[in-house]
Amino acid sequence: MQLMHVKRERLLKQVELLRTGVRKSQMLKLNCAKHHSVSAEKDTKLGDNSCSVTFLDNLEGAGGKVSTMKREVEALEKKIKNLTKSFDIYCKIKGEQSSSGTIELVNDHLKKRTCCRFIRQDIQLWEVDNLQNRNGHHNIVLNYRGFISQSLTLNTGRGSSIFVANKLNDMNISKNFPNMDACFAFRFVFNHEPTKKYVGPKSLAQETQRTCSLLRNLLDVVEEVRIARLEIRNMTLNSFNSPSAKQLDLQFAFIDFDSGVKVTMTLDMTCLNCGVYPSDILPYQLQTSATGTESLALSAEIKAAVGNLRSGYSRIIRICRCVSQVIQSSGR
């Protein structure tokens, strides 16, 4: 549209120049006619006639150019009108807008779309590794950040169905999250149901959304554990384990360097199996190396401090910081 506007403006300027030229030509012709002498000699008359003919030829040529340019301008205006109408519908623009106003709104719309695309690429956890089509079956292999390889076999025939198989990359998981037994968590979340079958046209989108939800919440928790291990100096242990096939635990151990008192805290992370972040989780098991009333007092202080934390994301690292601070303050 901008290019068309530039071309249109140029054509209009050229049309105006031609119109000016035509007016000048007409004025010259009139002046020539006024000063034409009746008593002039024949050859002079012939010369004047030639001049008039030349002016007429120039006038006709200029008029033809003006007509051509007018048609081009009209065609451009029609295209601009159609484009403006299309943009009004596509961008849901309300009210009458000038062409420049439409261009500004469309540019703003495109900027927002670009930002949305970048955000979508950021939060999309998978990319297509392989795509095959054999005997009416489509096989798609999705790579989820190198942690999971998901094979999706689609039957597009009557009663369309999808067969899903997940395979974990234990080596990559251990490499990215060492010293926390993250593989336990990944196996618990994804390997409890390694193969599944769905029926229906929306099953592919639903499965990828479900897998993304499971992986995103698991990665959030694992990342919090990794940061806690680097940040909290008196944390001596952080690891996942599965006491049973239906439960996933996350265990932390802390020490007070002054008194030597040790505290072990266990969180039930089974909700990750449903793609739910543990936003209001509390320790279900708390053990201290202190004895008697000192142990009871420390446990009560930790439970009270953790209970005062607000619910929401970053819950794991906030609990770890809270417990660490309570242990350090109790030692003093």
Side-chain angles (χ1 to χ4, degrees):
M1 283 184 71
Q2 287 173 332
L3 289 172
M4 285 181 177
H5 271 288
V6 171
K7 187 175 179 182
R8 178 176 173 272
E9 291 299 323
R10 287 181 179 176
L11 281 170
L12 287 173
K13 286 179 181 179
Q14 290 178 17
V15 167
E16 189 58 36
L17 286 171
L18 281 170
R19 282 175 178 167
T20 304
V22 169
R23 284 196 295 269
K24 286 182 178 179
S25 177
Q26 288 174 337
M27 288 176 67
L28 285 170
K29 182 183 174 185
L30 288 171
N31 289 336
C32 183
K34 285 178 182 179
H35 291 88
H36 182 66
S37 175
V38 178
S39 59
E41 294 181 357
K42 188 176 181 180
D43 57 344
T44 305
K45 288 182 180 179
L46 288 171
D48 289 338
N49 289 335
S50 298
C51 181
S52 299
V53 170
T54 302
F55 279 128
L56 285 171
D57 289 342
N58 290 338
L59 185 61
E60 288 175 0
K65 288 183 180 179
V66 169
S67 299
T68 302
M69 288 186 172
K70 281 179 70 177
R71 285 195 294 272
E72 288 184 17
V73 169
E74 288 171 0
L76 281 172
E77 286 178 343
K78 188 177 180 181
K79 286 182 180 179
I80 290 170
K81 187 177 179 181
N82 289 336
L83 275 173
T84 303
K85 188 177 179 181
S86 299
F87 287 139
D88 288 347
I89 295 170
Y90 181 74
C91 301
K92 298 178 181 178
I93 299 171
K94 295 180 180 179
E96 289 291 330
Q97 296 286 338
S98 64
S99 297
S100 58
T102 300
I103 291 172
E104 188 177 343
L105 288 171
V106 169
N107 283 334
D108 185 57
H109 178 78
L110 290 174
K111 286 177 184 176
K112 290 178 181 177
R113 287 289 298 271
T114 302
C115 290
C116 290
R117 181 168 57 85
F118 287 144
I119 293 170
R120 190 166 58 250
Q121 287 174 349
D122 256 357
I123 64 175
Q124 181 172 300
L125 298 177
W126 56 266
E127 59 182 18
V128 178
D129 252 6
N130 195 10
L131 182 62
Q132 294 179 339
N133 184 6
R134 293 179 181 176
N135 301 324
H137 291 79
H138 301 282
N139 185 257
I140 306 169
V141 179
L142 303 180
N143 183 348
Y144 288 80
R145 299 284 176 93
F147 301 124
I148 306 165
S149 179
Q150 187 176 65
S151 177
L152 305 163
T153 304
L154 288 77
N155 178 11
T156 56
R158 188 175 179 181
S160 59
S161 61
I162 177 172
F163 183 79
V164 183
N166 293 322
K167 184 180 179 182
L168 297 180
N169 187 337
D170 290 346
M171 185 179 294
N172 200 30
I173 294 169
S174 300
K175 180 182 176 181
N176 282 273
F177 309 108
N179 306 322
M180 66 171 75
D181 296 323
C183 287
F184 274 110
F186 275 84
R187 290 192 197 104
F188 179 82
V189 173
F190 291 102
N191 272 8
H192 70 287
E193 217 177 359
T195 59
K196 292 167 284 185
K197 184 177 180 180
Y198 299 103
V199 177
K202 295 182 180 179
S203 52
L204 175 59
Q206 289 171 348
E207 179 57 26
T208 53
Q209 288 169 5
R210 179 180 178 278
T211 304
C212 284
S213 178
L214 290 170
L215 181 58
R216 187 174 292 113
N217 285 295
L218 177 56
L219 288 177
D220 285 345
V221 170
V222 171
E223 183 64 16
E224 286 183 64
V225 175
R226 188 185 68 82
I227 294 172
R229 188 177 69 246
L230 296 172
E231 179 185 308
I232 301 172
R233 292 187 306 149
N234 65 334
M235 180 184 289
T236 59
L237 172 71
N238 44 72
S239 66
F240 290 93
N241 61 77
S242 296
S244 70
K246 294 184 178 180
Q247 184 175 334
L248 176 67
D249 283 354
L250 176 55
Q251 194 174 64
F252 295 96
F254 304 85
I255 187 171
D256 176 30
F257 294 118
D258 295 325
S259 65
V261 171
K262 297 177 181 178
V263 174
T264 302
M265 173 182 69
T266 307
L267 305 174
D268 185 351
M269 308 298 293
T270 308
C271 61
L272 291 173
N273 192 25
C274 303
V276 177
Y277 180 85
S279 57
D280 55 359
I281 195 171
L282 293 170
Y284 82 88
Q285 195 174 68
L286 204 60
Q287 296 176 330
T288 73
S289 63
T291 57
T293 56
E294 184 184 352
S295 175
L296 292 173
L298 180 57
S299 296
E301 190 177 353
I302 291 172
K303 288 178 181 178
V306 171
N308 289 329
L309 294 174
R310 60 178 176 79
S311 300
Y313 279 92
S314 302
R315 177 78 174 178
I316 307 302
I317 194 167
R318 286 189 286 114
I319 288 177
C320 291
R321 288 168 182 161
C322 179
V323 173
S324 173
Q325 290 169 2
V326 170
I327 293 170
Q328 288 176 328
S329 62
S330 66
R332 291 193 291 271

